Amino acid sequence: MDWDRARLHTAFGTRDVWIWGAMIVGQGVCRALQRAGLTVAGFIDSSPAMQGQTALGYPVCAPESVLDRARDGHAFIVIGSGHHDQVIEDRCRAHGLTAERDYLSSRRLNDIDPSVDVSGLCNLHCISCPQGNLSDRPPTGFMGLDAYKAILRKLLDELPFLGSVQLYAWGEPLLNRRLPDMIAATREARVLSAISTNLKSARDLEAVVAARPDWIKVSASGYGASYAVGHTGGDWERFLANLHRLSRLRARHHPELQIVLNYHLYRHSLGESYRAMRALCDELGFIFRPNMAYLYSLDNVLDYVEGRPLSPEAERTLELMLLDIDSGLERARRRRHLPCPEERCLPINWDGRVRFCGVYFKPFIADDFLATPLSEILARRQGSEFCRRCMSHGLHHYTAVYLEERILEDGLPAGVESDQRTDVDADD
Ligand code: SF4
Ligand code: SF4
């Protein structure tokens, strides 16, 4: 990385610094700049759901006014977005801004977003997830606190502008009893911590919230009776009670905590379920983020495109998906010439091994993160035979195809054929 603190300081000059992207990546950029002693004015986000909110105590504004200020030489924009950075750069250029003079992609500071799967176990077996749809799963267990602290230290040594650490990947982090200490250690290191939970077990929820993570994502895929179709093994009443409890704990211990409810859209989770969940989020003050559900992990999708059979759970997911997999893959194939957005991921497993990347469950690329320089891990992956195979099918853009879909008022994705609307309303 060719940018350091001094160069940033010179580039910013006396201008206000705004971070474009108020979600995890952008907030991580904020933490990294703060750690380097640089001042931030606030966040910009294109999502109306984020505008008017605060993130890490800073205001979140719509882009237009800040773009004008940047064009007039009063603001500098640092782009901090996981999947939309190219689109944002295009908007900056279209507004007359010049790269490095008026705006900078945070990839120039740090292009790695690590996740540490502190729990290899999950207490649900969702049909769209490898925990529910793959039978030959690697061994499971929990990461210890000392191991986590050592990993965090190595990450900070190797990535001076490290912004955030996700304390989850494919497991339920609340099952690890040391999670509150891990969150506290991350906060002490001035790195943003994010967790994602299914809220099935709230045993340590109060200690977790009191440890002050920056970001909690809760996932759901239905409301009431439809909840457990996708969140297999889940109990709606318990989940609902824990959502309310989380809201109360935030008020008591950590009002700045951002809570996002990630709502997976299937054929069964639209219409009334969608509206009810959105209303509940409004009531509880959670950010409602719907996105299309898709078959995960890519181990399954690779099997599908290469003609190997899928498990019954994976097949069931295909039946419930709104954008059918062949259409999704066709859209992804059209983008196969584009760089891989998943190269940012560095998924460290509970036992210290490193997974190939964030979207595959089975392949590993290093047996011991602590004993392997990050540069070597990245070199092994770059240009590897496995990446070539994945890219030849366009799979590196498979998740982006589903995540980027614009969602309409009733929860139906804009790009899904309108004749499905009839099915949906009827099923409700
Ligand atoms: S999607 Fe989340 S909650 Fe469901 S099985 Fe996978 S890790 Fe567990
Ligand atoms: S090309 Fe495929 S395997 Fe390689 S990092 Fe990207 S998504 Fe992962």
Side-chain angles (χ1 to χ4, degrees), residues 223 272-285 288:
Y223 190 98
E272 192 46 48
S273 291
Y274 174 88
R275 288 187 285 273
M277 186 58 89
R278 190 176 53 188
L280 179 64
C281 286
D282 286 348
E283 179 195 334
L284 298 178
F288 180 63

Side-chain angles (χ1 to χ4, degrees), residues 3 36 59 151 195 288 410 419:
W3 282 76
I151 286 170
I195 59 175
F288 180 63
D410 54 2
D419 59 357

Side-chain angles (χ1 to χ4, degrees), residues 298 340 342-343 356-357 359-360 381 386-387 390-391 396:
L298 261 63
C340 175
E342 310 298 341
E343 282 179 354
F356 203 90
C357 71
V359 290
Y360 283 90
R381 186 166 65 185
F386 190 71
C387 281
C390 171
M391 292 176 95
H396 58 305

Side-chain angles (χ1 to χ4, degrees), residues 9-10 20 60 62-63 71 91 115 123 196 249 262 296-297 338 348:
H9 197 266
T10 307
W20 192 327
V60 182
R71 191 190 47 213
R91 279 191 71 182
S115 58
N123 45 7
S196 172
L249 289 172
N262 202 204
Y296 220 25
S297 58
L338 297 173
I348 301 167

